Amino acid sequence: MARATVPQWVLINAVALALMILLPSVVPAEVTSKDSISSAPFGQATDGKAVELYTLRNRNGMEARIATYGGIVTSLTAPDRAGNYTDVVLGYDSLAGYLKDSPYFGALIGRYGNRIARGRFSLDGKIYTLAINNAPNTLHGGKVGFDKVVWTVEKAQVGADGPELTLHYLSRDGEEGYPGNLAVTAVYTLTEDDALHLAYRAITDKDTVVNLTQHSYFNLRGRGDILGHVAQINADRFTPVDSTLIPSGELRSVDGTAFDFRNPTAIGTRIENADEQQLRFGKGYDHNWVLNGPIGTVHLDATVYEPTSGRVLEVLSDQPGLQFYSGNFLDGSITGKDGRRYEFRNGFCVEPQHFPDSPNHSNFPSTVLKPGEQYRSTIIYAFSTR
Ligand code: BGC
């Protein structure tokens, strides 16, 4: 019986196939970069609970680090126009900093973000009293808000849209004075187009008020003050405040004021306008803009561009308001990541949310959540370059 010879083309194909199988293992890691999610211990909260730090990485090499303590975004990298990824948020190197003293760096804020006047509101004819932690008002959920509790991890996976982390927290009836058991989930997704998506959901078993937001301090240059960042805010009106930063209830036109960011304007251009009483109250910008976009549908809230690096941050949300805070209470007393001191206006916050003190203003969009309803909020921080 004649021995069958293997044709040459079969051999060539076999070698090519073997190479295709073997090759990925010898190609450098950066070329085959994939979406991933991993975690590492980050220490212990003051109540002894273990805290984890999750790293979400997308295929471009962008990274978001999120702690289960306070749902804090501890670092977030974004590319400059040369493609270099740099951390663009303020924070600490270790958990100890966040536990000791933090002006809400990167935190998930709740149950009610921003201020409630004199820590009081009434709901269904009953008066609720909250802790006064920013005299004479309540700020960001009270003494132990959602930024100071350990969240449980419900899911950590690479999903269809990228690496995603789902955190859960059950805020008990009466916690910080608020009525109703509130079950909250927060999903963080890092997408392949370099955006961090946040989806907040909550349900309650009693009528309550809810206003969640994200409190990252951005610096798109990575260091220095933020006055040269150019901001555009899609809002025709803002909510003027009193000297304790509580809205009067008026929705005032931004026309002809230092609050008109309808066209791109450097943050520093009008921040010292001495004749603007509102800027004196906030020591700069620390106000809520009334977004033009429809409530409940994701719209572009603001765009911030940093000319030296070329970094652009677009903020999108389905919320009625945007708190734009220019870091006026930073004063150099905090030493953060890499031993850096955070000086006056070294970071800015863009926090999509409901208007401050809504529970005390019937003309503001309602923040009441009832049993059977679902609270929903979507916030997107999208990065690109120019
Ligand atoms: C508020 C500021 C406050 C800061 C605390 C911001 O959301 O608008 O008034 O000082 O949070 O870090």
Side-chain angles (χ1 to χ4, degrees):
M1 203 170 76
R3 225 171 121 241
T5 52
V6 182
Q8 207 181 5
W9 64 267
V10 173
L11 277 176
I12 292 169
N13 274 354
V15 171
L17 190 68
L19 275 177
M20 274 162 68
I21 293 166
L22 290 173
L23 214 54
S25 61
V26 292
V27 171
E30 53 272 24
V31 179
T32 59
S33 195
K34 287 196 187 97
D35 293 343
S36 67
I37 183 162
S38 59
S39 71
F42 196 46
Q44 269 186 0
T46 25
D47 61 4
K49 282 194 188 137
V51 177
E52 295 288 309
L53 185 66
Y54 278 79
T55 302
L56 283 61
R57 197 180 153 90
N58 75 5
R59 60 194 70 176
N60 310 324
M62 180 178 182
E63 255 182 33
R65 296 209 164 144
I66 296 144
T68 55
Y69 178 79
I72 294 172
V73 176
T74 64
S75 80
L76 183 64
T77 66
D80 64 9
R81 56 167 86 82
N84 300 314
Y85 283 80
T86 301
D87 190 0
V88 293
V89 294
L90 275 48
Y92 296 104
D93 289 319
S94 66
L95 180 63
Y98 294 100
L99 294 178
K100 195 168 146 251
D101 168 33
S102 173
Y104 304 91
F105 285 145
L108 199 171
I109 307 291
R111 175 179 308 202
Y112 193 94
N114 218 312
R115 291 174 174 80
I116 294 183
R118 302 189 180 270
R120 278 164 70 92
F121 68 96
S122 77
L123 184 61
D124 304 330
K126 208 176 150 198
I127 291 178
Y128 292 93
T129 314
L130 314 165
I132 308 295
N133 61 333
N134 184 251
N137 306 313
T138 295
L139 178 67
H140 295 334
K143 280 199 176 121
V144 183
F146 292 180
D147 59 297
K148 294 183 186 66
V149 297
V150 178
W151 292 63
T152 46
V153 176
E154 219 171 71
K155 221 191 273 173
Q157 64 174 24
V158 174
D161 298 321
E164 69 183 42
L165 175 69
T166 305
L167 299 180
H168 177 79
Y169 179 63
L170 177 67
S171 170
R172 298 276 176 195
D173 185 12
E175 189 174 309
E176 288 294 329
Y178 293 95
N181 290 296
L182 188 76
V184 189
T185 58
V187 186
Y188 300 72
T189 310
L190 192 62
T191 60
E192 64 179 270
D193 52 357
D194 286 354
L196 181 65
H197 282 233
L198 310 169
Y200 300 142
R201 305 284 180 262
I203 50 170
T204 183
D205 59 0
K206 266 188 203 168
D207 289 7
T208 189
V209 292
V210 186
N211 186 27
L212 308 181
T213 193
Q214 217 290 325
H215 210 286
S216 283
Y217 287 68
F218 295 96
N219 185 317
L220 302 182
R221 189 153 49 117
R223 56 185 59 243
D225 72 52
I226 48 82
L227 299 175
H229 286 53
V230 177
Q232 193 200 345
I233 305 177
N234 293 325
D236 295 336
R237 293 170 298 169
F238 74 109
T239 53
V241 290
D242 67 13
S243 62
T244 74
L245 302 182
I246 294 294
S248 62
E250 180 192 350
L251 308 183
R252 187 180 292 172
S253 168
V254 296
D255 217 9
T257 75
F259 294 82
D260 190 349
F261 279 95
R262 289 173 297 184
N263 292 312
T265 309
I267 295 172
T269 309
R270 298 164 305 193
I271 202 166
E272 299 296 352
N273 273 12
D275 54 343
E276 182 57 85
Q277 185 194 42
Q278 284 297 310
L279 289 173
R280 291 203 298 278
F281 287 161
K283 296 192 165 57
Y285 295 108
D286 192 358
H287 295 77
N288 165 70
W289 271 252
V290 178
L291 295 169
N292 293 338
I295 304 171
T297 305
V298 174
H299 47 75
L300 180 64
D301 300 355
T303 305
V304 185
Y305 166 62
E306 199 286 301
T308 56
S309 64
R311 289 192 182 89
V312 177
L313 165 64
E314 284 177 314
V315 185
L316 299 96
S317 82
D318 53 4
Q319 295 297 294
L322 181 77
Q323 184 80 13
F324 168 50
Y325 167 55
S326 52
N328 316 307
F329 299 112
L330 296 174
D331 58 5
S333 60
I334 291 178
T335 303
K337 288 184 245 185
D338 301 324
R340 246 182 72 205
R341 259 177 204 249
Y342 296 136
E343 308 282 354
F344 191 45
R345 298 177 181 158
N346 273 196
F348 67 92
C349 302
V350 265
E351 316 160 36
Q353 56 185 257
H354 271 261
F355 304 170
D357 199 30
S358 292
N360 291 312
H361 294 274
S362 54
N363 62 321
F364 286 179
S366 172
T367 51
V368 174
L369 183 72
K370 295 176 185 289
E373 297 175 347
Q374 190 190 42
Y375 166 88
R376 299 165 75 88
S377 160
T378 298
I379 296 174
I380 301 169
Y381 295 112
F383 293 90
S384 56
T385 58
R386 238 180 243 169

